[in-house]
Amino acid sequence: VLTENLMADEHDALIRAVLKYKKHYQNNQFSQRLENLMSSVSSKKLDRITLSSSEGMVFLRLEQIIRLESDGNYTSFFTSNDKIVVSKTIKEYEGILPEDVFCRIHQSHIVNTNFISKFLKEDGGHALMEDGSKLPVSRRRKEALLQLLSGKSL
């Protein structure tokens, strides 16, 4: 059974492996099974992420994540009741998280836009999060954030 928390690179590797295998085996029944598998894998949206921390493995649903904060080669994941530190860069997670929900607003911050309570214009722009944190928005990323937020308004 395929798990829904496949990392993006594992997902891509699986698709490549299936395509390579498919080239070698053209059996009709087998081809149909591969097609079903491919469509299943391709249509799955990432809804969980597995984090390896110093305490062990942590499984988070994406809707639990409020924000990510970078500290060099470490990334902190903030939820409503926890902070999980992992030894991977924030850039590695930027490519995995869905762009329609998560937005890189600064060199050190990725936010779940569902948890932004206000956008403040002061000092070039800040995102005020529901957990009370006030995060800077870089000039380069401000427009992308505002477009994403305006698409969520009624």
Side-chain angles (χ1 to χ4, degrees):
V1 175
L2 292 173
T3 62
E4 293 188 358
N5 61 345
L6 286 175
M7 299 296 279
D9 53 344
E10 292 169 333
H11 181 267
D12 293 343
L14 177 60
I15 289 175
R16 283 193 304 275
V18 169
L19 289 174
K20 182 178 177 182
Y21 199 70
K22 185 179 174 184
K23 283 182 184 178
H24 296 291
Y25 298 94
Q26 293 300 322
N27 175 332
N28 263 351
Q29 186 179 17
F30 186 73
S31 290
Q32 185 58 46
R33 286 183 178 173
L34 278 177
E35 288 299 322
N36 293 342
L37 176 63
M38 288 294 291
S39 68
S40 173
V41 169
S42 297
S43 67
K44 293 256 187 230
K45 279 188 83 177
L46 181 70
D47 70 342
R48 296 179 74 92
I49 190 165
T50 304
L51 305 175
S52 184
S53 72
S54 60
E55 299 170 353
M57 294 181 77
V58 180
F59 307 99
L60 283 179
R61 288 188 324 276
L62 294 185
E63 66 264 13
Q64 292 177 283
I65 301 169
I66 297 173
R67 63 190 182 92
L68 289 72
E69 186 173 334
S70 171
D71 184 15
N73 288 328
Y74 294 90
T75 301
S76 298
F77 283 75
F78 292 86
T79 66
S80 59
N81 56 3
D82 210 359
K83 175 183 174 182
I84 301 132
V85 180
V86 295
S87 60
K88 286 189 178 181
T89 65
I90 199 168
K91 183 170 181 63
E92 292 181 60
Y93 294 106
E94 182 179 15
I96 294 172
L97 298 169
E99 296 174 353
D100 60 331
V101 177
F102 289 89
C103 183
R104 179 102 182 236
I105 61 168
H106 186 271
Q107 178 181 353
S108 303
H109 300 284
I110 294 176
V111 296
N112 181 334
T113 56
N114 294 322
F115 287 97
I116 296 177
S117 58
K118 285 184 183 177
F119 176 78
L120 306 171
K121 293 181 182 180
E122 65 187 36
D123 299 326
H126 284 83
L128 186 61
M129 305 300 291
E130 288 181 10
D131 67 354
S133 55
K134 183 178 171 183
L135 307 174
V137 177
S138 72
R139 285 180 298 214
R140 279 188 328 117
R141 301 178 193 266
K142 180 179 173 181
E143 188 61 36
L145 174 65
L146 293 176
Q147 281 186 332
L148 188 56
L149 291 174
S150 66
K152 292 179 179 271
S153 62
L154 296 176

